[in-house]
Amino acid sequence: MSTVSKTSSAVLAAAAVGVGVMRVLQVERYHRRKLALQAAEMHQAWLSDVASNETLRAAWAPPGEKLTSDDYALLVHCNRQVSLLSAKFRAGLLDRHALRVQARWLMEREIGRTYWREFSSFREQEAQDRVDRLFNQVLADEYIAFSAPDTVAA
């Protein structure tokens, strides 16, 4: 076998391995995305249960909060919206611009600002990666844009 043939064979083999590795990475990324969306679906169902069930609301209300059960139910519903936006952003169904539009819509409403004021620090603590941190930053930016200077969380 000539040197050119050996080189060509080596290049082809390396290309085939590279394609195989890329395919495995794509399948893994797809699988992680699918699992994230399934987890988000379960989370949405759980939040729906909490929002609609007085006993669950009482059990899961933040300790020491002075919220009425109805007010907490509204915040749980807002959490559903925020969680949906987060899942869509993570899955690539919203780009940064579309997320900002949705976050602005949310923060135009008092319930959105109240939710963010009460729970943004928890969302920041639970952020796992740059996607979560970017999501939180976009919501925080829109919160600041629609909040009076004396109500912005530190």
Side-chain angles (χ1 to χ4, degrees), residues 24-70:
V24 167
L25 291 175
Q26 285 176 329
V27 167
E28 182 180 326
R29 193 173 324 134
Y30 171 80
H31 184 67
R32 268 187 277 142
R33 216 176 256 168
K34 187 175 178 181
L35 287 175
L37 290 173
Q38 288 172 339
E41 184 178 359
M42 290 186 297
H43 186 244
Q44 289 290 317
W46 181 75
L47 289 172
S48 179
D49 290 346
V50 170
S52 63
N53 183 303
E54 179 76 32
T55 303
L56 289 174
R57 278 197 308 273
W60 288 102
E65 289 289 330
K66 302 287 185 199
L67 296 169
T68 67
S69 181
D70 288 341

Side-chain angles (χ1 to χ4, degrees), residues 93-110:
L93 300 174
L94 290 177
D95 63 13
R96 193 175 188 168
H97 171 75
L99 173 60
R100 188 164 301 282
V101 169
Q102 293 293 312
R104 188 172 300 131
W105 179 89
L106 181 67
M107 295 305 169
E108 286 174 340
R109 286 143 183 82
E110 181 63 34

